[in-house]
Amino acid sequence: MEIKVGKGLKDLLNENDYVSSTDEKIIEIPLGEIKPNPYQPRYLFDDEKISELADSIKEHGVFQPIIVKKMSGYYAIISGERRYRACKKLGLKTIPAIVRMYEKSKMIQIALIENLQREDLSPVEEAKAYMQIMRELDYNQREVGEKVGKSRSYVTNMLGILALSDDVLGLVDEGKISMGHARVLSKMEDMQRIRELVMLIIEKNLSVRELEQIATLEKKKVETKKSKVNDKYIAYESAINNKYGVKIKISDNKILINNIDEKKLKEIIEKIIG
């Protein structure tokens, strides 16, 4: 699947390619002086693939240097964390690198877009990356979508799954429930029921369509129940409205009075208690 990169980010990735600047020097940096990008969205690394990369590096060396930024007392990886991990696995002392000065916004964007282009991120990693961009760069959902070449609704759906508990998100990361399942579950409010449905998905191998049918049916039951509860208070609401001239809504656990000022409220309370 081709990722359509937002305007400007394709140039940003080209800029991050080490061959784009012929005057840059490739230097050997001790691995002990390097740390991962603090804005790296990916936290799941395939050990088998890292081992395969390590075998390749052992035989052929590191073909492409990593890109780093000089920080206070260390270098932060901008691009090439898998190469860095593979070299550490081999017990190498240094790794070829190019040092560049990047602003925080570029560090975040490059880390996200590179992973999206490779389709390396899990749905949860992707959603958390969007949330991080919004927090760190003060972007709204539309702006995030423009930066990563996605629609605002796509970003909204991705962010929606973060409402799920960590244990459920962990199952998404493990591939035990799909992103489609997670989207349906994220629209539900009862956490206990969500966990019950998660177990049903795993045990019965429920499809997303089957889960949607269950969720729709349960939503209708809840709405019907709420409607019946509210109906029993209609007479009281009407009586109070007629007597005091206020719009009021009564439920089992609260009374809501709309658009009332302090003077009117005081008048009503005095009438009730007097």
Side-chain angles (χ1 to χ4, degrees):
M1 180 179 69
E2 181 182 357
I3 299 293
K4 295 182 179 179
V5 181
K7 184 178 179 182
L9 283 183
K10 189 171 289 186
D11 294 333
L12 182 62
L13 291 180
N14 288 337
E15 174 190 329
N16 196 51
D17 189 343
Y18 82 99
V19 300
S20 65
S21 300
T22 56
D23 58 339
E24 286 182 320
K25 293 182 179 179
I26 299 174
I27 62 175
E28 292 286 334
I29 297 179
L31 290 175
E33 296 179 13
I34 298 173
K35 294 183 180 180
N37 185 341
Y39 307 111
Q40 166 65 265
R42 183 157 44 103
Y43 53 82
L44 298 174
F45 288 86
D46 189 321
D47 289 337
E48 185 176 344
K49 289 184 178 179
I50 294 295
S51 295
E52 290 174 358
L53 180 56
D55 291 340
S56 175
I57 289 174
K58 183 177 181 180
E59 183 174 355
H60 304 291
V62 180
F63 281 155
Q64 184 175 355
I66 65 173
I67 309 295
V68 299
K69 176 183 178 179
K70 179 66 175 175
M71 307 294 280
S72 178
Y74 69 96
Y75 294 91
I77 298 173
I78 304 298
S79 174
E81 183 167 346
R82 284 179 296 185
R83 276 164 277 162
Y84 161 77
R85 286 173 174 261
C87 287
K88 283 190 70 175
K89 193 176 187 71
L90 287 172
L92 301 182
K93 301 299 182 184
T94 64
I95 188 171
I98 291 174
V99 181
R100 288 190 182 153
M101 297 303 298
Y102 278 131
E103 296 177 354
K104 181 172 74 172
S105 61
K106 281 193 175 183
M107 292 177 69
I108 296 172
Q109 291 175 24
I110 289 172
L112 173 58
I113 296 301
E114 281 197 326
N115 282 296
L116 285 177
Q117 283 202 323
R118 297 192 193 101
E119 298 182 1
D120 280 344
L121 297 181
S122 73
V124 180
E125 288 174 327
E126 186 176 345
K128 288 182 176 180
Y130 293 154
M131 181 62 73
Q132 185 179 40
I133 286 182
M134 292 175 67
R135 288 174 177 168
E136 296 285 351
L137 305 182
D138 197 26
Y139 285 169
N140 58 36
Q141 294 179 15
R142 176 185 58 78
E143 290 169 327
V144 172
E146 290 174 351
K147 288 295 182 183
V148 301
K150 300 288 188 180
S151 67
R152 185 197 61 78
S153 60
Y154 176 88
V155 175
T156 299
N157 284 332
M158 293 301 297
L159 290 171
I161 70 170
L162 297 181
L164 295 170
S165 60
D166 288 341
D167 57 335
V168 176
L169 292 177
L171 294 173
V172 178
D173 273 336
E174 294 171 20
K176 292 183 178 178
I177 62 174
S178 71
M179 177 59 188
H181 289 120
R183 276 199 294 265
V184 177
L185 294 170
S186 69
K187 293 177 173 61
M188 303 178 72
E189 297 179 358
D190 187 336
M191 289 298 176
Q192 180 58 38
R193 183 54 179 154
I194 289 173
R195 289 189 173 90
E196 290 172 357
L197 289 173
V198 165
M199 297 308 298
L200 199 61
I201 291 167
I202 296 172
E203 292 173 2
K204 303 294 186 180
N205 196 26
L206 284 185
S207 68
V208 174
R209 179 59 181 161
E210 289 171 326
L211 179 62
E212 286 175 337
Q213 291 172 341
I214 293 173
T216 300
L217 182 61
E218 293 189 357
K219 182 180 179 182
K220 287 180 179 178
K221 287 181 179 179
V222 170
E223 290 174 348
T224 301
K225 184 178 179 181
K226 285 182 178 179
S227 178
K228 288 180 178 179
V229 169
N230 292 335
D231 285 348
K232 69 182 181 182
Y233 296 116
I234 289 178
Y236 298 107
E237 293 170 354
S238 179
I240 293 172
N241 183 36
N242 291 334
K243 185 171 183 178
Y244 298 111
V246 294
K247 290 185 177 180
I248 189 167
K249 193 71 177 175
I250 305 174
S251 65
D252 280 345
N253 55 10
K254 67 180 178 181
I255 298 175
L256 177 64
I257 304 175
N258 293 315
N259 300 323
I260 186 170
D261 58 32
E262 185 178 356
K263 182 180 178 181
K264 185 68 173 178
L265 179 61
K266 184 177 179 182
E267 178 187 339
I268 293 172
I269 292 174
E270 286 176 347
K271 287 181 178 179
I272 291 173
I273 66 176

